[in-house]
Amino acid sequence: MPDLTRDAEGSRSAKIALRNRLLTSRRSLTSNELAAAAAQVQQQTLSLVRREGAAVVAAYMPIGSEPGGPGLVEALAAQARVLLPVLLPDGDLDWAAFSTLTAGPRGLLEPVGPRLGISAITTADLVLVPGLAVDRAGLRMGRGGGSYDRALSRLPASGGPLVVALLHDGELVESVPAEPHDRPVHAVITPAEGLTVFANRSV
C-alpha cells in the first residue's frame, strides 16, 4: 500500500525546490529582457483573444517579473471586458471588472469596482492565469497559495473556457510535482514559442 503522506511530503519538497529555482531565474532577468518578453507575451495573448472571439477575459495584474508585464491588462481591456481577481481573507478569489487599481494584500494590485462573486470566473470566455511552471500534461505550479486551484475548480471539466498560463521562456518543463488539489491548464504562452496547447484541450 503506498505511503500517501510520504508521497505528499515529497511532492511538496520538490515543489519548493523548483519554485525557488524558478524565482531565482526570474530575479536574474534584466529590465530590457523583461520588457521584450512582456511585449511578446502580450502580442501572443491578444492574438489568442481575437482568435477565441473572447468578449470576457478573466486575467490577472502582473507584478514584478510576472509574464505579461504591467501593460497586459490595459492591452486586454482594449479588446474585451476584463475581470481581475480580488484575494479574499481565506485565500479564495473574488472578481471585479478592471477599473482603477488599488494596493491589495501580498503586494497585489486589485480593482476597486463592485465585487462579482467567486463564481464570476465561470462567465469568462478565456481565463489567463499566472504560474511559475507548467509541464507538458498541463499541470501548473504557482506560488503555493492554492487560490487559482480553487478558482479553476469552479470551471466545467469540459466545454468551459480555455485556461492559459503565461510563462517566461524555460518555464514550460517536462514534469511538475503534483498534489491532488492541483488543477491543470489547457495551454501556455511563452515569449519564444507563443501558444502551446496540450492534449487535454484543442482550439
Side-chain angles (χ1 to χ4, degrees):
M1 183 175 180
D3 188 336
L4 298 180
T5 301
R6 181 175 297 177
D7 289 347
E9 289 176 352
S11 180
R12 282 192 289 270
S13 296
K15 275 189 174 182
I16 291 170
L18 179 58
R19 187 176 288 122
N20 288 340
R21 179 173 66 78
L22 292 168
L23 286 170
T24 298
S25 178
R26 283 189 177 184
R27 285 192 289 267
S28 73
L29 295 171
T30 67
S31 58
N32 287 341
E33 288 171 332
L34 287 171
Q40 290 293 326
V41 167
Q42 286 182 32
Q43 179 183 1
Q44 295 286 344
T45 302
L46 294 176
S47 176
L48 178 61
V49 170
R50 291 190 292 269
R51 191 166 79 182
E52 289 286 292
V56 180
V57 178
Y60 66 96
M61 183 66 197
I63 57 173
S65 60
E66 286 187 323
L72 173 67
V73 172
E74 286 193 5
L76 288 169
Q79 295 195 14
R81 182 171 187 249
V82 178
L83 305 182
L84 293 177
V86 178
L87 186 64
L88 297 173
D90 66 355
D92 208 341
L93 297 179
D94 201 338
W95 298 86
F98 171 53
S99 61
T100 302
L101 300 174
T102 188
R106 303 182 192 175
L108 301 175
L109 292 173
E110 299 179 338
V112 299
R115 302 302 185 245
L116 303 175
I118 60 174
S119 63
I121 189 174
T122 64
T123 68
D125 304 305
L126 175 67
V127 178
L128 304 175
V129 299
L132 288 175
V134 175
D135 70 16
R136 299 284 175 176
L139 288 174
R140 167 191 163 273
M141 186 181 71
R143 291 180 178 265
S147 298
Y148 277 92
D149 290 313
R150 292 170 70 176
L152 295 179
S153 72
R154 299 186 175 101
L155 298 176
S158 62
L162 188 70
V163 179
V164 184
L166 306 185
L167 301 176
H168 286 296
D169 292 329
E171 295 176 350
L172 175 57
V173 299
E174 290 305 315
S175 178
V176 165
E179 296 180 73
H181 65 268
D182 291 335
R183 296 289 170 165
V185 298
H186 302 128
V188 301
I189 289 175
T190 62
E193 296 184 36
L195 179 69
T196 299
V197 181
F198 305 122
N200 63 6
R201 177 68 177 243
S202 59
V203 293

